[in-house]
Amino acid sequence: MKEDNEKYEQLDEETLFIVSQTFKALSDPTRIRILHLLGEKECNVSEIADELSLMQSTVSHQLRFLKNLRLVKFRRAGTTLYYSIDDEHVMTLLNQSIHHARHD
Amino acid sequence: MKEDNEKYEQLDEETLFIVSQTFKALSDPTRIRILHLLGEKECNVSEIADELSLMQSTVSHQLRFLKNLRLVKFRRAGTTLYYSIDDEHVMTLLNQSIHHARHD
DNA sequence: TCAGTATATGAATATATGCTCATATATGTT
DNA sequence: AACATATATGAGCATATATTCATATACTGA
């Protein structure tokens, strides 16, 4: 008489939401490029746009996205805003994935 | 005389593609639930649908997606297909994120 | 206060995504 | 072969997403 009494424990709604949101942030090439650049050095908006050949507007929109998820933060210096990484854990996920993609 | 001569090394196209695809797979709640369930135990399609209260068609479509990315594999037993995890690295990313979401 | 520079934002658009329905395919049984 | 069961697939639809353009806002210095 054999039976699997182990009941599968579903992920709760909140965890599911947070996890999916986190990965969604990392699922777009433009956001990945921005995060990867900020992982190297703090940058202002125009520097990001120049370095990655993106429109200023595009960068700004994506930074808002990343800022809402608290993945990046910024400091102001006059009219210039310097952005940097604000979530090391997510950067760890990103770097692991990059490493894996390259060596696999 | 100070100058930053460090040139930023962009991510190459292929890495960018693989990384974004990987995270895209993990960015949808339904796929996360399926992967998490398969992380617990091998399941056939109907079991997944039942356990997660999803339509058979929905499960099948998502399994195709995950299979294309080689995140899951299956074995056949008659008309029944048993699916299981095929990429432990991606499961590691998922589990880390779940852990982080819960304890943070 | 006015001009100049840096950044943010809203609207419009094109594309991608996920779900559902209906149906097809595949395998096993009689 | 006919039928039943398990799974896969295509089309249609609704929603989400990313980008661009035009414009607004914020700060600085003359």
Side-chain angles (χ1 to χ4, degrees), chain B residues 3-47:
Chain B
E3 201 174 351
D4 193 348
N5 287 317
E6 305 291 331
K7 250 289 183 43
Y8 168 63
E9 190 82 32
Q10 297 234 11
L11 287 172
D12 60 288
E13 272 297 327
E14 195 194 340
T15 300
L16 201 54
F17 180 74
I18 297 174
V19 171
S20 61
Q21 284 283 109
T22 301
F23 286 125
K24 188 158 299 179
L26 297 171
S27 72
D28 176 68
T30 300
R31 284 192 293 271
I32 292 175
R33 294 174 74 211
I34 292 174
L35 288 171
H36 186 253
L37 174 57
L38 294 181
E40 294 289 316
K41 54 176 180 186
E42 184 192 54
C43 288
N44 64 48
V45 180
S46 336
E47 282 170 353

Coordinates of all heavy atoms in Angstrom, one line a residue, chain B residues 3-47:
Chain B
E3 N 42.0 61.0 -15.7 CA 41.1 60.6 -16.7 C 40.7 59.1 -16.6 O 41.6 58.3 -16.2 CB 41.7 60.8 -18.1 CG 40.6 60.9 -19.2 CD 41.3 61.3 -20.5 OE1 42.5 61.7 -20.5 OE2 40.6 61.3 -21.5
D4 N 39.5 58.8 -16.9 CA 39.1 57.5 -16.8 C 39.3 56.7 -18.1 O 38.5 56.8 -19.0 CB 37.6 57.4 -16.4 CG 37.2 56.0 -15.9 OD1 38.0 55.1 -16.1 OD2 36.1 55.9 -15.3
N5 N 40.4 56.0 -18.2 CA 40.6 55.3 -19.4 C 40.0 54.0 -19.5 O 40.0 53.3 -20.6 CB 42.2 55.2 -19.6 CG 42.8 56.5 -19.9 OD1 42.2 57.3 -20.8 ND2 43.9 56.8 -19.3
E6 N 39.4 53.5 -18.4 CA 38.7 52.2 -18.5 C 37.6 52.3 -19.5 O 36.6 53.0 -19.3 CB 38.1 51.9 -17.1 CG 39.1 51.9 -16.0 CD 40.1 50.8 -16.0 OE1 39.8 49.8 -16.6 OE2 41.3 51.0 -15.5
K7 N 37.7 51.5 -20.5 CA 36.6 51.4 -21.5 C 35.6 50.4 -21.0 O 36.0 49.3 -20.6 CB 37.2 50.9 -22.9 CG 37.2 52.0 -24.0 CD 35.9 52.3 -24.5 CE 35.9 53.3 -25.6 NZ 36.9 53.0 -26.6
Y8 N 34.3 50.7 -21.1 CA 33.3 49.8 -20.6 C 33.1 48.7 -21.7 O 32.9 49.0 -22.9 CB 32.0 50.5 -20.4 CG 30.8 49.6 -20.2 CD1 30.7 48.7 -19.1 CD2 29.8 49.6 -21.1 CE1 29.7 47.9 -19.0 CE2 28.7 48.7 -21.0 CZ 28.7 47.9 -19.9 OH 27.6 47.0 -19.8
E9 N 33.1 47.5 -21.2 CA 33.0 46.3 -22.1 C 31.5 45.9 -22.2 O 31.0 45.3 -21.3 CB 33.8 45.2 -21.6 CG 34.0 44.0 -22.5 CD 35.1 44.2 -23.6 OE1 36.1 44.9 -23.2 OE2 34.9 43.7 -24.7
Q10 N 30.9 46.2 -23.4 CA 29.5 45.9 -23.6 C 29.3 44.4 -23.5 O 30.2 43.6 -23.9 CB 29.0 46.4 -24.9 CG 29.1 47.9 -25.0 CD 27.8 48.5 -25.4 OE1 26.7 47.8 -25.4 NE2 27.7 49.8 -25.8
L11 N 28.1 44.0 -23.2 CA 27.7 42.6 -23.3 C 27.5 42.3 -24.8 O 26.9 43.1 -25.5 CB 26.4 42.4 -22.6 CG 26.4 42.4 -21.1 CD1 25.0 42.3 -20.5 CD2 27.2 41.2 -20.5
D12 N 28.0 41.1 -25.2 CA 27.8 40.8 -26.6 C 26.4 40.3 -26.9 O 25.7 39.9 -26.0 CB 28.8 39.7 -27.0 CG 28.5 38.4 -26.2 OD1 28.9 38.4 -25.0 OD2 28.0 37.4 -26.7
E13 N 26.0 40.4 -28.1 CA 24.6 40.1 -28.5 C 24.1 38.8 -28.1 O 23.0 38.7 -27.6 CB 24.5 40.2 -30.1 CG 24.2 41.5 -30.7 CD 22.8 42.1 -30.2 OE1 21.9 41.2 -30.0 OE2 22.7 43.3 -30.1
E14 N 24.9 37.8 -28.2 CA 24.5 36.4 -27.9 C 24.2 36.3 -26.4 O 23.2 35.7 -26.0 CB 25.6 35.4 -28.4 CG 25.0 34.0 -28.4 CD 26.1 33.0 -28.6 OE1 27.2 33.4 -29.0 OE2 25.9 31.8 -28.2
T15 N 25.2 36.7 -25.6 CA 25.0 36.7 -24.2 C 23.7 37.4 -23.8 O 22.9 36.9 -23.0 CB 26.2 37.3 -23.4 OG1 27.4 36.6 -23.8 CG2 26.0 37.2 -21.9
L16 N 23.5 38.6 -24.3 CA 22.4 39.4 -24.0 C 21.1 38.6 -24.4 O 20.1 38.6 -23.6 CB 22.4 40.7 -24.9 CG 21.6 41.9 -24.4 CD1 22.0 42.2 -23.0 CD2 21.9 43.0 -25.3
F17 N 21.1 37.9 -25.5 CA 19.9 37.2 -25.9 C 19.6 36.0 -25.0 O 18.5 35.9 -24.5 CB 20.1 36.7 -27.3 CG 19.0 35.9 -27.9 CD1 17.8 36.5 -28.2 CD2 19.0 34.5 -27.9 CE1 16.7 35.8 -28.7 CE2 18.0 33.8 -28.4 CZ 16.8 34.4 -28.8
I18 N 20.7 35.3 -24.7 CA 20.5 34.1 -23.8 C 20.0 34.5 -22.4 O 19.0 34.0 -21.9 CB 21.8 33.3 -23.6 CG1 22.2 32.7 -25.0 CG2 21.6 32.2 -22.6 CD1 23.6 32.1 -25.0
V19 N 20.6 35.6 -21.9 CA 20.3 36.0 -20.5 C 18.8 36.5 -20.5 O 18.1 36.2 -19.6 CB 21.3 37.1 -20.0 CG1 20.8 37.8 -18.8 CG2 22.6 36.5 -19.8
S20 N 18.5 37.3 -21.5 CA 17.1 37.9 -21.5 C 16.1 36.8 -21.7 O 15.0 36.8 -21.0 CB 17.0 39.0 -22.5 OG 17.2 38.5 -23.8
Q21 N 16.4 35.8 -22.5 CA 15.5 34.7 -22.7 C 15.3 33.9 -21.4 O 14.2 33.5 -21.1 CB 16.0 33.7 -23.8 CG 15.9 34.2 -25.2 CD 14.5 34.1 -25.7 OE1 13.8 35.1 -25.9 NE2 14.1 32.8 -25.9
T22 N 16.4 33.7 -20.7 CA 16.3 32.9 -19.5 C 15.4 33.6 -18.5 O 14.5 33.0 -17.9 CB 17.7 32.8 -18.9 OG1 18.5 32.1 -19.8 CG2 17.7 32.0 -17.6
F23 N 15.6 34.9 -18.3 CA 14.8 35.6 -17.3 C 13.4 35.8 -17.8 O 12.5 35.9 -17.0 CB 15.5 37.0 -17.0 CG 16.7 36.9 -16.2 CD1 17.9 37.5 -16.6 CD2 16.7 36.2 -15.0 CE1 19.1 37.4 -15.8 CE2 17.8 36.1 -14.2 CZ 19.0 36.7 -14.6
K24 N 13.2 35.9 -19.1 CA 11.8 35.9 -19.6 C 11.0 34.7 -19.2 O 9.9 34.7 -18.8 CB 11.8 36.1 -21.1 CG 10.5 36.4 -21.7 CD 10.5 37.1 -23.0 CE 11.3 38.4 -22.9 NZ 11.4 39.1 -24.2
A25 N 11.7 33.6 -19.2 CA 11.1 32.3 -18.9 C 10.6 32.4 -17.4 O 9.6 31.8 -17.0 CB 12.0 31.1 -19.1
L26 N 11.4 33.1 -16.6 CA 11.1 33.1 -15.2 C 10.2 34.3 -14.8 O 10.0 34.6 -13.6 CB 12.4 33.2 -14.4 CG 13.3 32.0 -14.5 CD1 14.7 32.2 -13.9 CD2 12.6 30.8 -13.9
S27 N 9.8 35.1 -15.8 CA 9.1 36.3 -15.5 C 7.6 36.2 -15.5 O 6.8 37.1 -15.2 CB 9.5 37.4 -16.5 OG 8.9 37.1 -17.7
D28 N 7.1 35.0 -15.8 CA 5.7 34.8 -15.8 C 5.2 33.9 -14.6 O 5.7 32.8 -14.5 CB 5.2 34.1 -17.1 CG 3.8 33.8 -17.2 OD1 3.0 34.7 -17.2 OD2 3.4 32.6 -17.1
P29 N 4.2 34.3 -13.9 CA 3.7 33.6 -12.7 C 3.4 32.1 -13.0 O 3.7 31.2 -12.3 CB 2.5 34.3 -12.3 CG 2.8 35.7 -12.7 CD 3.5 35.6 -14.0
T30 N 2.7 31.9 -14.2 CA 2.3 30.5 -14.5 C 3.5 29.6 -14.7 O 3.6 28.5 -14.2 CB 1.5 30.5 -15.8 OG1 0.3 31.3 -15.6 CG2 1.1 29.1 -16.2
R31 N 4.5 30.2 -15.4 CA 5.7 29.3 -15.6 C 6.5 29.1 -14.3 O 7.0 28.0 -14.1 CB 6.6 30.0 -16.7 CG 6.1 29.8 -18.1 CD 7.2 30.3 -19.1 NE 7.5 31.7 -19.1 CZ 6.8 32.6 -19.8 NH1 5.8 32.2 -20.6 NH2 7.1 33.8 -19.8
I32 N 6.5 30.1 -13.5 CA 7.2 30.0 -12.2 C 6.5 28.9 -11.4 O 7.2 28.0 -10.8 CB 7.1 31.3 -11.4 CG1 8.0 32.3 -12.1 CG2 7.6 31.1 -10.0 CD1 7.9 33.7 -11.4
R33 N 5.2 28.9 -11.4 CA 4.4 27.8 -10.6 C 4.7 26.5 -11.2 O 4.9 25.5 -10.4 CB 2.9 28.1 -10.7 CG 2.6 29.4 -10.0 CD 1.1 29.7 -10.2 NE 0.2 28.9 -9.4 CZ -1.0 28.5 -9.8 NH1 -1.5 28.9 -10.9 NH2 -1.7 27.7 -9.0
I34 N 4.8 26.3 -12.5 CA 5.1 25.0 -13.1 C 6.5 24.6 -12.8 O 6.7 23.4 -12.4 CB 4.9 25.1 -14.7 CG1 3.4 25.3 -15.0 CG2 5.4 23.8 -15.3 CD1 3.1 25.5 -16.5
L35 N 7.4 25.5 -12.9 CA 8.8 25.1 -12.6 C 9.0 24.7 -11.1 O 9.7 23.8 -10.8 CB 9.8 26.2 -13.0 CG 10.0 26.5 -14.5 CD1 10.8 27.7 -14.7 CD2 10.7 25.3 -15.1
H36 N 8.3 25.5 -10.3 CA 8.4 25.2 -8.8 C 7.8 23.9 -8.5 O 8.4 23.1 -7.7 CB 7.7 26.3 -8.1 CG 7.9 26.2 -6.6 ND1 6.9 25.8 -5.8 CD2 8.9 26.5 -5.8 CE1 7.3 25.8 -4.5 NE2 8.5 26.2 -4.5
L37 N 6.7 23.5 -9.1 CA 6.1 22.2 -8.9 C 7.0 21.1 -9.4 O 7.2 20.1 -8.7 CB 4.7 22.2 -9.6 CG 4.0 20.8 -9.6 CD1 3.7 20.3 -8.2 CD2 2.7 20.9 -10.4
L38 N 7.5 21.3 -10.6 CA 8.4 20.3 -11.2 C 9.7 20.1 -10.3 O 10.4 19.1 -10.4 CB 8.7 20.6 -12.6 CG 7.6 20.5 -13.6 CD1 8.0 20.8 -15.0 CD2 6.9 19.1 -13.5
G39 N 10.0 21.2 -9.7 CA 11.2 21.1 -8.8 C 11.0 20.2 -7.6 O 11.9 19.6 -7.0
E40 N 9.7 20.0 -7.2 CA 9.3 19.1 -6.2 C 9.2 17.7 -6.6 O 9.7 16.8 -6.0 CB 8.0 19.5 -5.6 CG 7.9 20.9 -4.9 CD 8.7 20.9 -3.6 OE1 8.5 19.9 -2.8 OE2 9.5 21.9 -3.3
K41 N 8.6 17.5 -7.8 CA 8.4 16.2 -8.3 C 8.1 16.2 -9.8 O 7.5 17.1 -10.3 CB 7.2 15.5 -7.6 CG 6.0 16.3 -7.6 CD 4.8 15.6 -7.0 CE 3.5 16.5 -7.0 NZ 2.4 16.0 -6.3
E42 N 8.5 15.1 -10.4 CA 8.1 14.9 -11.8 C 6.6 14.8 -11.9 O 6.0 14.2 -11.0 CB 8.8 13.6 -12.2 CG 8.6 13.2 -13.7 CD 9.0 11.7 -13.9 OE1 8.5 10.8 -13.2 OE2 9.8 11.5 -14.8
C43 N 6.0 15.4 -13.0 CA 4.6 15.4 -13.1 C 4.2 15.2 -14.6 O 4.9 15.7 -15.4 CB 4.0 16.7 -12.6 SG 4.0 17.0 -10.9
N44 N 3.0 14.6 -14.8 CA 2.5 14.6 -16.1 C 1.7 15.9 -16.3 O 1.4 16.6 -15.4 CB 1.7 13.4 -16.4 CG 0.5 13.2 -15.6 OD1 -0.3 14.1 -15.4 ND2 0.3 12.0 -15.0
V45 N 1.2 16.1 -17.6 CA 0.5 17.4 -17.9 C -0.7 17.6 -17.1 O -1.0 18.6 -16.6 CB 0.2 17.4 -19.4 CG1 -0.5 18.7 -19.8 CG2 1.5 17.3 -20.2
S46 N -1.5 16.5 -17.0 CA -2.8 16.7 -16.3 C -2.6 16.9 -14.8 O -3.3 17.7 -14.1 CB -3.7 15.4 -16.4 OG -3.4 14.7 -17.6
E47 N -1.6 16.3 -14.2 CA -1.2 16.5 -12.8 C -0.9 18.0 -12.6 O -1.4 18.6 -11.6 CB -0.1 15.7 -12.4 CG -0.4 14.2 -12.1 CD 0.8 13.3 -11.9 OE1 1.9 13.8 -12.0 OE2 0.6 12.2 -11.5

